[in-house]
Amino acid sequence: MPITTEHCDHVPDPSANLKLHQELQQAAIDNPSQFWREAAKVIDWVTVPTQVLDESQAPLYQWFNDGELNTCYNALDRHVLAGRGEAIAIHSVSPVTHTYEDISYNDLLDKVSRLAGLMQSLGVTKGDRVVIYMPMVPQTAMAMLACARIGAIHSVVFGGFAANELAARINDAKPKLVLSASCGIEPSGAIPYKPLLDDALAMATHHVAHTIILQRPQVTASLVAGRDLDWHTSVAQAAKVNCVTLKACDPLYILYTSGTTGQPKGVVRDNGGHAVALMWSMANIYDIRQGDTFWAASDVGWVVGHSYIVYGPLLMGASSIMFEGKPVGTPDAGIFWRTIEQYGVRSFFTAPTAIRAIMREDSQGKLCHVCDLSQLKQVFLAGERCDPDTLIWAQRLLNKPVIDHWWQTETGWPVAANMMGVAPVAIKPGSPALSVPGYQVQVVDELGQVVSANTSGNVVIKLPLPPGTLTTLWQNDQRYIDSYLSMYPGFYLTGDAGYQDQEGYLYIMSRIDDIINVAGHRLSTGRFEEVLCQHPDVAEVAVIGVEDKLKGQVPLGLVVLKLGVNIDEAELYQQLIQLVRQQIGPVASFRLVSVIQKLPKTRSGKVLRGTMRKIADNQQYTIPATIEDPQSLDLVRHILTRLGYADALVTAD
């Protein structure tokens, strides 16, 4: 299906659009080669592919493998050559440092070409790896694009990761070069990166010959003579270089899954399928065309930042916002809405956690109501399961469609979504809507048999996965097969549990290991969280299963209250227990509940349920490198100890 130039601003008949969505899905199933050949026509190819899908090495599939292109050329050069060089490519927005910059496609191309030239002068060539360990500044996008320009494979590591975690990724990727910055900025202040990088380089068994360091005014880093180069000085002196031609199946980047310990697990993304899928999704899912402004409020260290801060918007020729800040506290819970107003954002993408944080700080939406959001057409939520109450609150506040959608680091772009750019369907709170064309999602039992509608099971995707998804794990095909493809032959195991209703709407309830077994009844912790969030005083919830001698497991609820709430905790607990009893039933055996000031989360907003479960069950656990606030685990440990759990030892990273 080719990309149209028109927006889909009108939803004439959701039922008709449901039929259209199903027709598109069927077209992708019946003839995937034809479907994706049409989609690939919007990419500028050096050599147009003749073979769309190569199944010769199944289950390791390849898309467009005889095609040739360059991703950086498609993201920058072609827009400049088409006369759109003065259009804004990136709005750099940093309320924490009070710095704002608009970077045109001309400016971005110039800086990327010079940075790529500097990399080449340091011996970086096609196929070499480059680690990028940087904050949310435009130079991070430049580093990614410069790698793509010369065929180097980048691996972005979230800025501020612990030194040993960075060292593990350096050892696995074996980069020739590392790009970093003197510091990152958090609301609490500057976080020096260079000492962490120096420690990681000292720990790593792989030797890195050079680093390029971006000096920020908040912290000045000391440079090691002969190894470390100053970013601004060196790039200014570098010669510009042109794009190299790459095969579509050549790797574009490696992205290590968050929370990995031991041997890192590096997701590999190719060039050709990635470009095709992101262009298709920008238009058909996110309803973004050339010249629009799109904002994904995430970080380049995560897959969202790769796909929808850097590559997706720039491939489309849109404007992207790089935001350094938080939804609250930089300076208040209105910063998202003011940013959307100032830059005329059409589609906005954030995590449910961000909406819940705003809801907790500004439950009446006063900071939103003073903003003109007329250009905003829709809001997309992803990164974790979105409870219906959060979605409904945001939809009422904004009077706009709020779209829950679901995907993973491994898939690289949405698996299930409401396609706002071509066929918007009815919104069902709690569901990320329907499978996106190209993905054949099924729900199966432990034996791999498809379950009936509204029956919970393991969510799987029939092979082959569409373009843009992972092609393998870095230098470890067998681990890819063992981790994702072996449990149900012919299917990709998502690791999530859920169900589909009669219309095919998907409901992701939890990770497979978040299913608890209460006296033989398999129950989703996501369902408990959904119910508890209905209480008017509750802002956030995490439910975990804890061991019980009689029932095997029982649910334990940890709730964060909205600001300003004043309620007797004993009374609150009785109300919450009764709420679960009414909506799930006595079978839930829900009796353990406690208020907590803050849930332990990763920096991307995912609640650390697995770690909390280990604490409760007296198992050894490791503090994840991705944790936002390590002290939040102390709060959990205190509560669990009070409830008679948690005597485990902690092993710090």
Side-chain angles (χ1 to χ4, degrees):
M1 182 182 65
I3 293 172
T4 67
T5 57
E6 299 298 321
H7 288 298
C8 187
D9 284 330
H10 181 51
V11 186
D13 182 356
S15 61
N17 282 343
L18 177 61
K19 183 179 180 182
L20 174 58
H21 187 124
Q22 292 167 340
E23 290 173 352
L24 292 171
Q25 177 69 278
Q26 196 60 46
I29 293 172
D30 291 343
N31 194 338
S33 291
Q34 178 60 29
F35 186 92
W36 292 111
R37 179 179 286 109
E38 283 295 311
K41 290 180 178 179
V42 298
I43 298 299
D44 282 7
W45 298 90
V46 176
T47 302
V48 177
T50 59
Q51 183 179 28
V52 178
L53 174 61
D54 180 2
E55 303 179 79
S56 62
Q57 300 180 62
L60 302 177
Y61 297 90
Q62 291 186 333
W63 291 92
F64 313 110
N65 66 342
D66 64 345
E68 295 179 317
L69 78 163
N70 184 280
T71 297
C72 181
Y73 179 90
N74 276 273
L76 298 180
D77 300 66
R78 67 167 173 169
H79 302 307
V80 172
L81 292 171
R84 299 192 64 252
E86 293 306 313
I88 300 301
I90 293 175
H91 297 288
S92 178
V93 180
S94 178
V96 288
T97 62
H98 307 288
T99 56
Y100 306 88
E101 182 183 9
D102 291 342
I103 303 171
S104 70
Y105 275 91
N106 277 332
D107 291 340
L108 188 57
L109 176 58
D110 177 76
K111 291 180 171 64
V112 167
S113 300
R114 292 184 186 278
L115 180 57
L118 175 60
M119 289 182 184
Q120 279 193 343
S121 73
L122 296 173
V124 178
T125 60
K126 175 182 172 182
D128 288 336
R129 276 77 62 207
V130 174
V131 164
I132 301 170
Y133 181 67
M134 295 186 66
M136 278 296 292
V137 291
Q139 287 83 0
T140 308
M142 295 172 194
M144 297 165 70
L145 291 161
C147 289
R149 191 169 192 82
I150 60 175
I153 303 166
H154 65 69
S155 181
V156 180
V157 179
F158 191 99
F161 254 28
N164 64 317
E165 292 287 340
L166 177 57
R169 287 151 175 76
I170 289 172
N171 285 337
D172 195 66
K174 296 180 172 52
K176 188 171 284 187
L177 174 69
V178 175
L179 294 97
S180 189
S182 60
C183 69
I185 308 294
E186 295 288 337
S188 58
I191 300 176
Y193 284 2
K194 187 57 164 46
L196 295 169
L197 174 59
D198 288 340
D199 288 347
L201 293 173
M203 291 179 195
T205 56
H206 172 76
H207 174 69
V208 176
H210 294 288
T211 75
I212 303 174
I213 305 299
L214 175 71
Q215 297 280 20
R216 302 190 71 186
Q218 293 79 15
V219 172
T220 300
S222 59
L223 302 184
V224 176
R227 187 193 72 183
D228 303 338
L229 302 177
D230 177 80
W231 186 300
H232 293 297
T233 302
S234 301
V235 171
Q237 297 171 350
K240 298 180 184 179
V241 296
N242 291 322
C243 298
V244 303
T245 297
L246 301 168
K247 293 181 179 179
C249 54
D250 284 339
L252 172 66
Y253 69 76
I254 306 165
L255 181 58
Y256 292 97
T257 52
S258 61
T260 299
T261 58
Q263 181 68 21
K265 189 165 64 174
V267 168
V268 177
R269 200 85 64 207
D270 65 3
N271 275 271
H274 174 259
V276 172
L278 290 192
M279 277 286 284
W280 190 91
S281 68
M282 286 299 298
N284 292 289
I285 296 174
Y286 297 109
D287 191 27
I288 293 293
R289 305 299 190 275
Q290 188 178 91
D292 290 336
T293 300
F294 182 76
W295 180 18
S298 182
D299 190 282
V300 286
W302 311 127
V303 68
V304 174
H306 283 60
S307 296
Y308 296 116
I309 295 177
V310 180
Y311 288 114
L314 298 181
L315 286 166
M316 179 55 75
S319 299
S320 181
I321 293 178
M322 290 193 72
F323 180 85
E324 186 178 45
K326 300 290 184 182
V328 298
T330 58
D332 57 39
I335 186 61
F336 275 13
W337 316 130
R338 293 194 297 275
T339 302
I340 290 169
E341 176 185 32
Q342 180 176 350
Y343 294 99
V345 173
R346 178 180 178 85
S347 289
F348 174 54
F349 181 158
T350 191
T353 288
I355 298 299
R356 284 192 287 267
I358 294 169
M359 180 170 59
R360 189 182 184 210
E361 296 277 338
D362 184 25
S363 60
Q364 301 303 310
K366 294 178 181 178
L367 295 173
C368 176
H369 293 148
V370 297
C371 296
D372 178 6
L373 303 182
S374 56
Q375 286 189 276
L376 180 67
K377 300 303 178 184
Q378 54 262 321
V379 172
F380 291 86
L381 302 177
E384 57 180 314
R385 184 177 177 277
C386 181
D387 60 281
D389 280 9
T390 297
L391 186 143
I392 291 168
W393 181 86
Q395 200 154 257
R396 287 174 177 168
L397 173 72
L398 299 167
N399 196 27
K400 314 274 185 184
V402 178
I403 310 301
D404 183 16
H405 65 320
W406 169 68
W407 48 297
Q408 303 176 320
T409 297
E410 290 86 349
T411 67
W413 63 288
V415 177
N418 200 326
M419 296 204 300
M420 299 304 290
V422 64
V425 296
I427 295 170
K428 295 184 181 182
S431 171
L434 305 160
S435 304
V436 170
Y439 292 98
Q440 297 185 59
V441 176
Q442 297 181 10
V443 180
V444 300
D445 61 21
E446 293 179 354
L447 298 177
Q449 300 299 310
V450 176
V451 300
S452 57
N454 299 306
T455 301
S456 295
N458 295 341
V459 179
V460 298
I461 306 172
K462 188 175 181 181
L463 298 178
L465 296 178
T469 54
L470 81 168
T471 57
T472 187
L473 296 177
W474 177 245
Q475 294 190 325
N476 204 333
D477 291 346
Q478 191 57 51
R479 189 179 182 193
Y480 167 51
I481 293 169
D482 293 343
S483 298
Y484 299 100
L485 311 181
S486 61
M487 181 174 287
Y488 301 109
F491 291 86
Y492 165 86
L493 178 68
T494 68
D496 284 310
Y499 64 92
Q500 289 177 302
D501 68 13
Q502 292 89 338
E503 290 185 309
Y505 277 69
L506 181 65
Y507 292 77
I508 300 295
M509 301 307 295
S510 61
R511 295 294 291 173
I512 287 173
D513 57 8
D514 286 336
I515 296 292
I516 61 176
N517 194 319
V518 182
H521 299 278
R522 286 171 54 82
L523 301 172
S524 164
T525 56
R527 176 57 180 151
F528 286 96
E529 293 172 2
E530 188 177 273
V531 170
L532 293 173
C533 277
Q534 295 175 12
H535 193 284
D537 294 335
V538 171
E540 278 191 286
V541 177
V543 175
I544 60 173
V546 297
E547 291 182 0
D548 182 84
K549 292 181 180 178
L550 179 63
K551 298 179 181 294
Q553 285 182 299
V554 292
L556 165 66
L558 299 173
V559 299
V560 179
L561 300 183
K562 294 176 181 176
L563 290 182
V565 167
N566 185 15
I567 184 173
D568 178 74
E569 288 192 6
E571 180 182 345
L572 172 68
Y573 298 160
Q574 287 304 312
Q575 292 175 5
L576 294 174
I577 290 169
Q578 187 61 27
L579 196 60
V580 171
R581 186 179 182 87
Q582 289 173 349
Q583 298 202 26
I584 299 180
V587 68
S589 295
F590 184 70
R591 297 183 182 88
L592 296 175
V593 61
S594 180
V595 169
I596 190 170
Q597 292 177 326
K598 185 177 186 180
L599 293 173
K601 298 177 182 178
T602 66
R603 294 177 183 179
S604 62
K606 289 184 171 63
V607 177
L608 295 170
R609 293 176 179 84
T611 304
M612 289 193 290
R613 193 165 50 243
K614 288 181 179 179
I615 296 173
D617 291 343
N618 298 324
Q619 298 177 11
Q620 285 197 340
Y621 66 97
T622 301
I623 298 175
T626 55
I627 191 169
E628 184 178 43
D629 179 7
Q631 291 183 340
S632 60
L633 284 178
D634 293 336
L635 298 175
V636 173
R637 191 176 168 83
H638 174 75
I639 289 171
L640 291 171
T641 301
R642 177 168 54 82
L643 294 173
Y645 295 88
D647 295 320
L649 298 175
V650 60
T651 303
D653 274 348

